[in-house]
């Protein structure tokens, strides 16, 4: 008889674990025992406040252009007020730059744009960056690194499931089946905080991050970069040759086309179409030296071969432009991968000119 009972022990243990895991579904307990937010999660948590501020700008008859991209788009954040050429666009424009995250990827951008729609905010135009580095499966800052920082809700996990490869789909299923695993739940911490009436939200990290995101960072004119033909040999080696090598090691190492990142770029485009969000998919300018290095690794102009096929030429919401094809006059570079903040007014003008070709842009 005792021996027969032993056979039930594994089932009893599994049932107990499953029952405890379901207790984590109780919001108060989950919030008490989950892992503290990391940087990627903090960005997503803070965005609804950003979108509310943008809605206020719109209510004051100011157009809002949301700039979403990596450090190449982050230069917009170095202007408190970007002067807009009145011959291009007469209405006042506020450039929302807090959705530009250095060393980021399309996976996070998709979640950010989803957050925007869920908050009931629709920008007057979205400037979405296209950079070949984001399509490298082995990019140090790919979706794999952000995935470790995030604790997504069940509806979000279900939404992104088809875009991931089998390995990540398997992990998503585990997260859906076991809530405690999804939220990195600590029973000891959960019980302790629950008794004390505390939650894992009781930290100061997000406050500091929110302050950073909200504050514009006017650039120092002394660090505005160097004209294309005025680099000294020392500066050229440091800013162009050596920096290109660092970019190759971080972003272009073992270059393999990422179906996952490209899948999330597709989802962003589809989301813009479905919600009638005027969008300009644009490619930032890089230094000719780095352009040739990148081309030798990626195999060519991915903006043309991968970007354009995503957009219907007759789309009422989306247009494309590459600024890496001689479409700008600004030839000042901070390094091989980034133009000077001095180029921002001209870049903004080019993007707004392109936006005016969009039927649903007003």
């Amino acid at each position: 008889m005792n021996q027969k009972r032993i056979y039930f022990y594994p089932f009893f243990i599994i049932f107990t674990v499953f029952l405890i895991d379901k207790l984590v579904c109780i919001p108060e307990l989950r919030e008490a025992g989950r892992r503290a937010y990391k940087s990627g999660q903090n960005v997503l948590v803070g965005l609804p406040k950003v979108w509310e501020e943008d809605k206020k700008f719109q209510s004051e008859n100011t157009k809002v252009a949301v700039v979403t991209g990596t450090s190449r788009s982050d230069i917009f954040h170095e202007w408190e007020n970007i002067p807009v050429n009145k011959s291009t666009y007469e209405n006042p424009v506020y450039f929302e730059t807090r959705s530009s995250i250095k060393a980021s990827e399309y996976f996070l951008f998709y979640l950010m744009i989803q957050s925007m729609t869920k908050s009931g905010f629709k920008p007057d135009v979205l400037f979405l960056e296209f950079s070949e580095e984001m399509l490298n499966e082995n990019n140090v800052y790919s979706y794999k690194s952000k995935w470790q920082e995030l604790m997504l809700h069940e509806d979000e996990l279900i939404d992104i499931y088809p875009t991931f490869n089998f390995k990540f789909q398997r992990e998503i299923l585990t997260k859906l089946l076991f809530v405690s695993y999804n939220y990195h739940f600590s029973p000891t911490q959960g019980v302790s905080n629950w008794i004390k009436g505390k939650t894992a939200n009781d930290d100061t990290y997000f406050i500091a991050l929110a302050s950073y995101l909200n504050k514009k960072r006017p650039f120092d004119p002394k660090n505005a970069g160097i004209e294309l033909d005025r680099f000294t040999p020392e500066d050229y080696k440091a800013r162009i040759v050596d920096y290109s090598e660092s970019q190759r090691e971080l972003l272009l190492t073992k270059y393999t086309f990422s179906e996952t990142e490209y899948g999330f770029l597709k989802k962003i485009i589809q989301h813009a179409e479905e919600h009638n969000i005027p969008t300009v998919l644009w490619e930032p300018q890089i230094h000719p030296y780095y352009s040739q290095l990148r081309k030798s690794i990626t195999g060519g102009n991915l903006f043309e071969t991968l970007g354009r096929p995503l957009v219907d030429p007759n789309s009422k919401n989306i247009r494309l432009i590459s600024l890496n094809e001689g479409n700008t006059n600004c030839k000042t570079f901070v390094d091989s991968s980034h133009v000077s903040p001095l180029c921002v007014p001209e870049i903004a003008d080019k993007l707004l000119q392109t936006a005016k070709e969009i039927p649903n842009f007003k």
Side-chain angles (χ1 to χ4, degrees):
M1 188 69 175
N2 290 337
Q3 189 174 8
K4 290 182 179 180
R5 289 179 180 176
I6 291 175
Y7 294 133
F8 289 100
Y9 287 171
F11 296 101
F12 176 76
I13 293 172
I14 293 173
F15 176 76
T16 302
V17 170
F18 189 78
L19 180 62
I20 293 173
D21 180 77
K22 297 312 126 185
L23 290 174
V24 181
C25 292
I26 301 173
E28 293 80 6
L29 182 59
R30 183 187 66 211
E31 288 301 304
R34 65 165 171 76
R35 183 188 69 190
Y37 289 150
K38 294 188 177 183
S39 59
Q41 192 76 37
N42 271 296
V43 168
L44 296 178
V45 170
L47 281 175
K49 180 181 178 181
V50 170
W51 309 136
E52 287 301 318
E53 292 176 2
D54 291 336
K55 281 192 256 185
K56 184 178 179 182
F57 280 115
Q58 288 180 326
S59 70
E60 297 170 350
N61 295 320
T62 296
K63 302 296 183 181
V64 176
V66 170
V67 182
T68 299
T70 66
S71 56
R72 292 176 185 148
S73 295
D74 193 60
I75 57 173
F76 279 75
H77 202 68
E78 299 186 42
W79 285 77
E80 187 169 354
N81 294 294
I82 300 173
V84 175
N85 191 329
K86 295 299 181 183
S87 64
T88 298
Y89 200 69
E90 294 184 354
N91 297 321
V93 180
Y94 170 73
F95 292 86
E96 177 53 77
T97 58
R98 286 169 285 181
S99 57
S100 290
I101 308 295
K102 293 180 179 179
S104 195
E105 75 297 317
Y106 289 118
F107 171 47
L108 183 61
F109 294 154
Y110 174 67
L111 295 174
M112 294 167 71
I113 291 168
Q114 284 280 79
S115 164
M116 183 174 70
T117 301
K118 289 177 181 178
S119 296
F121 169 64
K122 179 180 174 181
D124 294 282
V125 64
L126 170 67
F127 294 146
L128 175 65
E129 176 188 327
F130 180 98
S131 287
E132 295 186 6
E133 293 83 352
M134 285 193 279
L135 296 176
N136 180 16
E137 181 74 12
N138 297 310
N139 184 333
V140 172
Y141 305 108
S142 74
Y143 66 93
K144 300 171 188 175
S145 61
K146 285 296 186 295
W147 175 253
Q148 302 303 322
E149 299 178 359
L150 302 177
M151 294 181 291
L152 303 179
H153 293 297
E154 288 73 19
D155 60 333
E156 293 172 313
L157 291 172
I158 293 170
D159 177 49
I160 65 177
Y161 176 85
T163 310
F164 276 114
N165 56 37
F166 177 74
K167 176 184 175 182
F168 282 82
Q169 287 180 337
R170 186 173 54 191
E171 188 164 354
I172 288 175
L173 288 175
T174 304
K175 287 175 177 284
L176 289 170
L177 289 172
F178 297 99
V179 180
S180 56
Y181 174 70
N182 185 29
Y183 290 94
H184 303 262
F185 186 82
S186 168
T188 304
Q189 174 187 307
V191 172
S192 175
N193 281 346
W194 202 8
I195 292 173
K196 296 175 184 177
K198 295 177 61 179
T199 72
N201 275 323
D202 295 340
D203 56 46
T204 57
Y205 180 69
F206 173 66
I207 297 173
L209 183 67
S211 175
Y212 169 81
L213 287 172
N214 279 278
K215 187 177 177 59
K216 295 276 188 176
R217 305 185 303 275
F219 66 93
D220 185 343
K222 295 179 182 178
N223 300 319
I226 301 172
E227 288 286 331
L228 183 64
D229 57 354
R230 294 187 180 180
F231 280 87
T232 64
E234 294 79 9
D235 280 330
Y236 191 85
K237 182 178 184 305
R239 297 193 186 208
I240 306 303
V241 178
D242 292 348
Y243 193 82
S244 293
E245 181 61 21
S246 70
Q247 293 294 95
R248 184 190 66 78
E249 292 178 358
L250 284 173
L251 310 178
L252 296 170
T253 184
K254 299 178 182 177
Y255 196 93
T256 302
F257 174 67
S258 176
E259 292 286 354
T260 298
E261 290 291 4
Y262 190 57
F264 281 111
L265 174 57
K266 285 182 182 178
K267 286 181 75 68
I268 294 173
I269 297 298
Q270 290 168 0
H271 187 87
E273 289 283 25
E274 291 169 2
H275 293 84
N276 293 318
I277 300 172
T279 300
V280 176
L281 181 64
W282 71 289
E283 182 180 37
Q285 182 182 2
I286 57 176
H287 190 277
Y289 179 94
Y290 180 56
S291 180
Q292 288 302 312
L293 173 64
R294 188 176 71 178
K295 184 176 181 179
S296 70
I297 296 171
T298 65
N301 187 350
L302 300 189
F303 183 77
E304 290 296 325
T305 59
L306 297 176
R308 289 199 181 276
L310 294 179
V311 181
D312 183 341
N314 298 316
S315 171
K316 294 183 179 180
N317 298 298
I318 305 174
R319 291 294 182 272
L320 306 91
I321 182 173
S322 172
L323 300 187
N324 206 35
E325 299 175 351
N327 288 320
T328 62
N329 295 317
C330 189
K331 306 298 180 185
T332 307
F333 291 85
V334 174
D335 52 54
S336 64
S337 188
H338 304 88
V339 295
S340 167
L342 292 171
C343 299
V344 167
E346 185 188 2
I347 293 173
D349 188 67
K350 292 291 183 182
L351 298 186
L352 284 171
Q353 286 181 30
T354 305
K356 288 170 66 176
E357 300 173 10
I358 300 173
N360 284 339
F361 176 72
K362 299 178 182 180

